[in-house]
Amino acid sequence: MYAFYDGFGLPVKLTFSPEEYRNHQAGHVLIFAFYQGKLLFTRHRTRGVELPGGKVEAGENSLAAAVREVYEETGAILEGIERIGQYTIDDSMRKDIYIARVAQYTNQPSGSDVLATIVFEDIPRDVKGNQEFSRILQDDVYPLALERALRHPFAGSQPS
């Protein structure tokens, strides 16, 4: 378990241990979606560059929300997805972290808050202090989860 403070001074707890998050329902999701070895990002209308993600809607679980959010925000259809972690902010907001392999990618986001999908030639690793990136990626969750995601087979695999 990792514990630190985010940019707003709120306590964050991050875990990659299924034993610690298995029985905790999350209300939000964050997805590391890989297409041909590259990570899909979105450009949010007001927040800047961030990973696909959002709220779990009524009647859906976090897995369904992750699949939906990736499609809405990037136009990508997933062929594999796996929960790799979970974090809480101020013991009130809980987010499941997923890694996914993209089967098809059209770069046609349908979400109203997303301006575009962005695919960097090299995956950005250190985004702290970079004003182009959303504050959501400015704490330690992004680099710690990215490190974990890059070791997963989805990060380097091609769609089948």
Side-chain angles (χ1 to χ4, degrees), residues 28-155:
H28 296 81
V29 293
L30 179 72
I31 307 98
F32 288 80
F34 285 92
Y35 180 67
Q36 298 180 347
K38 298 185 190 254
L39 189 56
L40 300 184
F41 288 85
T42 64
R43 181 175 305 282
H44 188 274
R45 183 173 307 285
T46 59
R47 293 188 301 253
V49 176
E50 58 190 25
L51 293 169
K55 292 182 181 178
V56 177
E57 294 181 354
E60 76 181 349
N61 60 30
S62 71
L63 177 64
V67 171
R68 176 184 52 76
E69 289 287 353
V70 169
Y71 180 75
E72 287 178 358
E73 295 185 2
T74 69
I77 297 171
L78 304 179
E79 99 174 334
I81 186 166
E82 183 180 320
R83 184 166 58 167
I84 62 168
Q86 187 178 81
Y87 67 102
T88 59
I89 302 170
D90 199 28
D91 289 328
S92 60
M93 178 186 282
R94 186 178 306 272
K95 283 191 180 188
D96 279 338
I97 303 169
Y98 285 91
I99 183 169
R101 181 175 54 230
V102 174
Q104 296 177 316
Y105 165 59
T106 62
N107 193 16
Q108 296 185 5
S110 63
S112 61
D113 289 333
V114 176
L115 297 175
T117 303
I118 299 169
V119 181
F120 293 97
E121 190 60 36
D122 295 313
I123 296 171
R125 293 177 184 264
D126 184 15
V127 301
K128 285 185 183 178
N130 185 333
Q131 297 302 311
E132 181 182 5
F133 288 85
S134 169
R135 292 187 298 189
I136 292 171
L137 298 183
Q138 299 287 329
D139 60 26
D140 289 338
V141 170
Y142 173 71
L144 291 168
L146 177 62
E147 177 184 320
R148 180 70 52 123
L150 289 172
R151 294 193 310 255
H152 193 281
F154 287 175

